[in-house]
Amino acid sequence: ELSFNFYAGSCPGAELIVRNTVRSASSSDPSVLGKLLRLIFHDCFVQGCDGSVLIRGNGTERSDPGNASLGGFAVIESVKNILEIFCPGTVSCADILVLAARDAVEALGGPVVPIPTGRRDGRVSMAANVRPNIIDTDFTVDKMINIFSSKGLSVHDLVVLSGAHTIGAAHCNTFNSRFKLDPKGNLELIDASLDNSYAQTLVNKCSSSLDPTTTVVDNDPETSSTFDNQYYKNLLAHKGLFQTDSALMEDDRTRKIVEILANDQESFFDRWTESFLKMSLMGVRVGEEGEIRRSCSAVN
Ligand code: HEM
Ligand SMILES: [Ca+2]
Ligand SMILES: [Ca+2]
């Protein structure tokens, strides 16, 4: 029941408004692009792509510690505010989220993924649903594959969608358990799959500030503002930032895919287009299900 250009009749400017708002928000704060792309992962994996991640309040997904570092909400809300003026009660927050993530990738030089629209917004958002569905950085490849397959996504989708880490940033506390400093201040690798000099760079960046929950480091040390296949080249060079990134190199099933994508950006873009679309269709509500929220941060 989703269709391309679902809003052609009811709100013809919808997709353009999303795109322009993402562009202008990113010109004052480029960090929103990574945040918007991450948001869709955290929305779609919990109860499907229904905008449940956007709801504010006690006990909602957004209140869960697993979602504490999400951002980009203000961009979604400002798109929604504009759309409510032009076509009130028409465009779902679930669609806005997917379109905004699609546009964030485009803004950084990635492929434009044609996205069917018509998703409806969910009315439920529970913190308890976050951690069982979102992958943590200490997961094994098997565990990641299991979560992906429980959502109808393949090993291939796992490796391709992890390529999102070619942009954006991460807080030091998401990777600093991979190394420690001995009493003399020298680096000790806890996770030997990490390149030594890269680890040293990370230590230096993270120790320049005392608070690992506020300091951020680029996900992609080479081209963090370009959506390209550099992520896979980094993995080959043992410069994956999260344990879960490096882990993709340790399993035959995933390493083979990493090698292909590292050597062929064209093929990464084609694969991304397929896998991103697949993720954007997970558990969507259509027709009379759910609602069209008036504000993205609250149910009607
Ligand atoms: C496969 C398992 C995954 C794990 C374990 C994981 C983990 C993480 C972590 C820990 C961060 C840093 C958050 C912070 O400190 O602020 C992060 C950032 C990010 N993730 Fe993932 N992620 C995964 C998959 C994905 C997927 C599927 C996408 C999207 C398709 C994605 C997109 C992003 C983006 C764009 C950022 C940067 C956010 C920003 O710049 O604020 N991740 N991820
Ligand atoms: Ca959701
Ligand atoms: Ca990059």
Side-chain angles (χ1 to χ4, degrees):
E1 290 212 41
L2 297 184
S3 59
F4 290 103
N5 226 343
F6 179 84
Y7 300 109
S10 59
C11 193
E15 296 203 19
L16 195 62
I17 288 171
V18 175
R19 189 165 179 270
N20 288 343
T21 309
V22 168
R23 289 284 170 135
S24 73
S26 70
S27 67
S28 46
D29 176 9
S31 80
V32 299
L33 297 171
K35 290 170 181 162
L36 290 170
L37 180 54
R38 185 168 179 231
L39 261 190
I40 193 65
F41 167 48
H42 283 238
D43 187 32
C44 296
F45 270 62
V46 182
Q47 262 181 203
C49 311
D50 66 345
S52 59
V53 76
L54 301 172
I55 308 221
R56 219 195 265 272
N58 280 340
T60 63
E61 291 171 27
R62 211 169 145 174
S63 74
D64 189 82
N67 276 344
S69 63
L70 293 181
F73 298 101
V75 181
I76 303 297
E77 202 64 64
S78 80
V79 171
K80 181 63 177 174
N81 291 340
I82 299 169
L83 289 174
E84 285 302 292
I85 294 170
F86 288 104
C87 10
T90 306
V91 182
S92 69
C93 298
D95 277 341
I96 295 172
L97 259 181
V98 176
L99 294 170
R102 182 269 302 270
D103 295 343
V105 168
E106 184 198 8
L108 293 175
V112 184
V113 183
I115 294 288
T117 42
R119 293 168 191 75
R120 309 268 299 175
D121 294 323
R123 290 201 189 88
V124 176
S125 175
M126 292 191 298
N129 288 339
V130 174
R131 270 167 289 173
N133 288 293
I134 292 293
I135 297 168
D136 210 341
T137 51
D138 63 0
F139 278 27
T140 60
V141 170
D142 278 332
K143 259 175 110 179
M144 290 195 272
I145 290 175
N146 284 344
I147 291 206
F148 268 64
S149 79
S150 74
K151 318 257 172 213
L153 298 175
S154 65
V155 177
H156 213 284
D157 295 319
L158 166 65
V159 179
V160 171
L161 291 170
S162 295
H165 295 159
T166 187
I167 66 167
H171 293 80
C172 291
N173 61 328
T174 60
F175 55 82
N176 63 8
S177 60
R178 306 184 73 192
F179 43 74
K180 65 175 186 194
L181 297 179
D182 71 14
K184 291 182 180 153
N186 296 319
L187 176 70
E188 269 178 48
L189 282 183
I190 293 170
D191 182 339
S193 64
L194 199 58
D195 174 81
N196 222 297
S197 69
Y198 180 50
Q200 188 64 57
T201 310
L202 294 173
V203 167
N204 296 345
K205 288 195 173 150
C206 289
S207 56
S208 64
S209 156
L210 293 173
D211 186 355
T213 61
T214 55
T215 308
V216 295
V217 165
D218 289 338
N219 281 345
D220 174 351
E222 307 294 333
T223 61
S224 71
S225 310
T226 307
F227 191 94
D228 54 11
N229 68 338
Q230 183 64 42
Y231 168 79
Y232 303 101
K233 297 180 185 168
N234 297 339
L235 295 187
L236 295 185
H238 303 285
K239 294 177 181 174
L241 183 57
F242 308 126
Q243 183 281 136
T244 40
D245 295 322
S246 299
L248 299 177
M249 285 295 292
E250 254 127 63
D251 186 296
D252 284 345
R253 292 165 294 178
T254 49
R255 193 186 57 247
K256 289 196 181 99
I257 304 170
V258 168
E259 285 164 354
I260 293 168
L261 299 174
N263 285 314
D264 186 352
Q265 171 145 302
E266 202 79 353
S267 128
F268 170 49
F269 280 11
D270 290 346
R271 295 308 195 165
W272 174 266
T273 302
E274 291 168 11
S275 296
F276 184 86
L277 176 64
K278 211 163 148 189
M279 177 171 71
S280 84
L281 300 177
M282 279 167 44
V284 294
R285 287 155 183 66
V286 291
E288 300 297 307
E289 296 168 322
E291 63 183 15
I292 303 293
R293 276 180 222 149
R294 281 186 291 270
S295 156
C296 289
S297 57
V299 297
N300 290 343

